[in-house]
Amino acid sequence: MGAEANASGRHLVHSHAKEGDVPGTVNLQVAEGDDSAYGQALYPVPAEDPNDPLQWSPSRKMLILIVCSIYSFLSNSSLLGPSVYIGIYAEEFGITPSKASNLVSYSNLAFGFGSLLMVPLYHKIGRRPVMLGSLILYCAGLIGCSQSTSYEMLMTFRVIHSFGSCVCEALPVQLVNDIFFLHERGKRLGIYTVCLCLGSTGPLFAGYMLNGGYSWRLFFYVEFAFGAALFILAFFVVEESAYRRKSPAGLATHDAGEESPDGEKRSDTVLENEVAEVIPPRKTFVQTLKFWGVWEKDSEFFMMIARSFTYFFVPHVFWVITTYGIYIGLGALAFNYTFPLKITAEPYNWSQLNSGLISLASLVGYLLAIPFTSSSDRLAAYLTRKNNGIREAEMRLGVMVPVMLLAPAGLILFGFAAERNLHWIAYFIGVAMNQFCSYFFFTFTLAYAIDSYTSNISEMLIAMNLGKQAISFGMGLDLLDWVLEHGYAVMIAGVFGSIVLLNNLALIVFMLWGKRIRAFMAQTWLAKVHRASIKEIATH
């Protein structure tokens, strides 16, 4: 461990992972009275270079994160919005509702598997060109959807725009790693999670766009318009954040100085002056618009893809995968598949225009959860101070305990409401309960996994995106057939409710034994593979 104070007087620390270290444990001791980071040291130490993303202004950082998070909102809303058109597609293309639902299920699968290509690509050529290129592909796919005249044509362009926008799932998390400090992680991931969750309101907008006179095609026109506007905004706002950060010069030898080639020790002042002489100026605005020039020759494109599959065997990462996959499969697919068909039939007889209103329940659940976004950061900071400045990854998990049983209860309510044709408000309350809980599990399981394993985060993101989309795809595929065969209560309240309960109870396992699991995993062959392939360290 080494420490120093930056120009603002804030004490900073940096660490170097050694083979004997337990991943997810960081020393964040801070000088007495310094509360600049919830009473913790700032980590990591930024370079003196003003082009280091950690040195960018807070407003610029936040604007970049917001742009990327809006991309997540748009891509998820375009992915899920057409779920209210399942009945319309079935009638127009002469197919069954179950086959029509594949327009969402297979798009969802492409949305996840695109990370296999896009994440290694943004490591090879940079974040900025990949984001801009993906936006172009996303917009092209949306235009193709709006002009489709057959099921096969619509399916093709649905896969194209979903595959193109897949990077929006990994890029905001990568940006949090690139440009923010450790103590800011939970709150910044919360901003991304808000936009991710609000994307589930897409069916609400899609339903009411049927009034626009262009049938279901208007939805894709509107999504394209917002996508094109976002491309323009991203071109001028999203600066390249890939940066090779080196430890401050002489940090490890500040106590004793450094020897010159002739054997004499040089003073710290000399070292600092030498560093100061080579500090480059801040890039101009025009220079930040450049979207080429990054080529990481050390980035192993195909090996990164291959190594990502090893993270399926890491318990902390696998928990994130199951959490996202199950909650997306329920909130994004199960609710949006079943509610429109249920509410437009007897005894409710709602119009097709109002079939997307279930998204309001999701919106209410998420809005009620948003004020708790920084709760895990604050709890972890409090426990870190009590632990003499030693930060453990599990310290943020306590905030999830109060909502652990809420989601299964919501599923039971929704399932029995559908089975027994209860008042429509029961559907809304059940969905709101589930989505309120999902916000906590989305945000804090992800932050926990990144806290636990700070190296090779991009490979973790590939595994997470692949896994969660595969699970949600499996939960949505043939869902309507399952429900018709076994009933709403059996499938949604019974089967899905049990799956969510088991996933949520894993919280207790990680709170009690998470550190021991990390210590055990650090001694396995997987840890050796990951240590040997370290190309990036989480720098926030």
Side-chain angles (χ1 to χ4, degrees):
M1 275 299 168
E4 67 167 12
N6 68 359
S8 65
R10 295 176 177 174
H11 286 256
L12 311 169
V13 301
H14 72 110
S15 61
H16 303 282
K18 297 181 287 296
E19 190 163 342
D21 292 344
V22 177
T25 302
V26 182
N27 191 332
L28 295 177
Q29 292 179 339
V30 66
E32 183 177 356
D34 186 354
D35 61 353
S36 59
Y38 298 141
Q40 303 171 97
L42 292 178
Y43 175 74
V45 182
E48 295 292 338
D49 182 1
N51 297 297
D52 182 346
L54 288 175
Q55 297 277 27
W56 295 347
S57 68
S59 58
R60 183 168 187 81
K61 293 181 183 181
M62 186 59 66
L63 186 57
I64 292 173
L65 179 58
I66 288 174
V67 169
C68 293
S69 298
I70 290 175
Y71 189 18
S72 181
F73 166 76
L74 285 179
S75 60
N76 277 279
S77 64
S78 65
L79 176 66
L80 304 175
S83 61
V84 299
Y85 302 145
I86 289 175
I88 296 175
Y89 291 146
E91 182 178 352
E92 182 169 335
F93 298 131
I95 56 179
T96 64
S98 181
K99 185 174 181 179
S101 69
N102 288 340
L103 288 165
V104 179
S105 296
Y106 281 97
S107 297
N108 181 52
L109 193 64
F111 190 62
F113 276 70
S115 298
L116 271 175
L117 172 65
M118 293 296 191
V119 174
L121 191 61
Y122 75 56
H123 268 278
K124 177 63 75 172
I125 67 173
R127 284 54 152 162
R128 176 174 166 81
V130 170
M131 180 177 181
L132 295 178
S134 75
L135 274 166
I136 292 174
L137 192 59
Y138 168 70
C139 291
L142 290 173
I143 282 294
C145 288
S146 69
Q147 304 301 309
S148 296
T149 56
S150 68
Y151 173 79
E152 291 75 17
M153 184 178 180
L154 182 57
M155 175 66 82
T156 299
F157 284 110
R158 285 281 290 162
V159 168
I160 288 174
H161 84 71
S162 300
F163 182 90
S165 62
C166 70
V167 74
C168 77
E169 291 285 87
L171 201 55
V173 181
Q174 183 69 55
L175 283 170
V176 168
N177 174 64
D178 289 345
I179 66 180
F180 290 106
F181 291 101
L182 173 65
H183 71 281
E184 301 171 310
R185 176 182 298 157
K187 186 175 181 179
R188 296 319 189 268
L189 286 177
I191 293 173
Y192 152 67
T193 309
V194 168
C195 293
L196 168 69
C197 294
L198 292 182
S200 65
T201 60
L204 174 66
F205 311 128
Y208 282 108
M209 285 181 192
L210 291 174
N211 272 336
Y214 293 94
S215 69
W216 52 267
R217 302 176 191 276
L218 177 61
F219 176 76
F220 293 106
Y221 288 133
V222 173
E223 287 281 355
F224 167 78
F226 279 104
L230 186 66
F231 172 82
I232 296 172
L233 183 61
F235 182 83
F236 291 105
V237 167
V238 180
E239 182 177 350
E240 179 59 60
S241 64
Y243 184 83
R244 285 182 174 270
R245 186 174 298 109
K246 299 178 181 179
S247 297
L251 186 59
T253 56
H254 268 188
D255 292 336
E258 181 183 67
E259 290 191 3
S260 64
D262 59 6
E264 296 182 0
K265 288 187 176 181
R266 297 183 295 173
S267 68
D268 292 343
T269 303
V270 174
L271 288 172
E272 290 173 1
N273 288 339
E274 288 179 0
V275 173
E277 291 174 0
V278 297
I279 295 177
R282 178 71 171 104
K283 292 179 180 178
T284 65
F285 174 70
V286 173
Q287 288 175 325
T288 64
L289 299 181
K290 183 180 178 181
F291 55 87
W292 64 91
V294 175
W295 180 260
E296 292 290 343
K297 61 181 180 180
D298 294 333
S299 179
E300 301 168 318
F301 186 89
F302 294 106
M303 284 305 297
M304 180 178 288
I305 294 175
R307 284 194 303 264
S308 67
F309 289 94
T310 65
Y311 281 92
F312 288 118
F313 300 99
V314 178
H316 304 71
V317 177
F318 190 72
W319 188 36
V320 178
I321 292 171
T322 58
T323 295
Y324 271 76
I326 291 169
Y327 278 105
I328 291 173
L330 293 172
L333 302 182
F335 295 147
N336 288 324
Y337 282 5
T338 58
F339 183 79
L341 296 180
K342 186 72 180 176
I343 208 68
T344 55
E346 294 285 350
Y348 306 102
N349 295 318
W350 286 22
S351 72
Q352 192 74 41
L353 298 177
N354 297 323
S355 62
L357 282 174
I358 195 64
S359 298
L360 286 179
S362 297
L363 181 62
V364 170
Y366 294 139
L367 289 178
L368 291 175
I370 287 174
F372 298 94
T373 298
S374 64
S375 59
S376 76
D377 281 342
R378 294 186 177 277
L379 175 62
Y382 170 75
L383 295 177
T384 299
R385 291 194 297 271
K386 290 189 64 176
N387 197 36
N388 297 319
I390 305 300
R391 173 75 167 264
E392 300 288 354
E394 288 74 25
M395 289 178 175
R396 68 170 67 249
L397 295 180
V399 297
M400 299 161 66
V401 173
V403 301
M404 185 172 56
L405 302 179
L406 196 62
L411 286 170
I412 292 173
L413 178 58
F414 185 94
F416 278 95
E419 184 75 20
R420 300 182 179 181
N421 293 325
L422 301 182
H423 193 278
W424 60 265
I425 195 65
Y427 295 92
F428 280 66
I429 295 174
V431 171
M433 291 169 62
N434 183 83
Q435 303 297 55
F436 179 85
C437 177
S438 74
Y439 182 83
F440 282 77
F441 276 78
F442 279 154
T443 306
F444 303 138
T445 58
L446 178 59
Y448 173 54
I450 295 177
D451 284 353
S452 299
Y453 299 99
T454 57
S455 61
N456 296 343
I457 282 181
S458 296
E459 294 174 10
M460 287 173 54
L461 292 176
I462 295 174
M464 290 175 184
N465 289 335
L466 285 175
K468 69 185 178 65
Q469 300 305 134
I471 292 175
S472 60
F473 171 79
M475 295 185 71
L477 191 65
D478 298 327
L479 171 66
L480 296 178
D481 292 337
W482 296 348
V483 169
L484 291 176
E485 181 178 353
H486 301 289
Y488 290 94
V490 171
M491 288 304 304
I492 296 179
V495 176
F496 288 173
S498 299
I499 292 173
V500 171
L501 178 61
L502 287 174
N503 182 80
N504 288 7
L505 288 176
L507 171 65
I508 304 301
V509 175
F510 286 106
M511 288 183 68
L512 296 178
W513 299 292
K515 183 176 180 179
R516 293 182 185 178
I517 296 173
R518 287 188 280 117
F520 170 77
M521 294 300 298
Q523 307 304 317
T524 64
W525 65 272
L526 278 175
K528 295 177 181 178
V529 170
H530 295 161
R531 276 195 295 268
S533 62
I534 289 177
K535 296 296 182 183
E536 58 171 343
I537 300 292
T539 56
H540 58 293

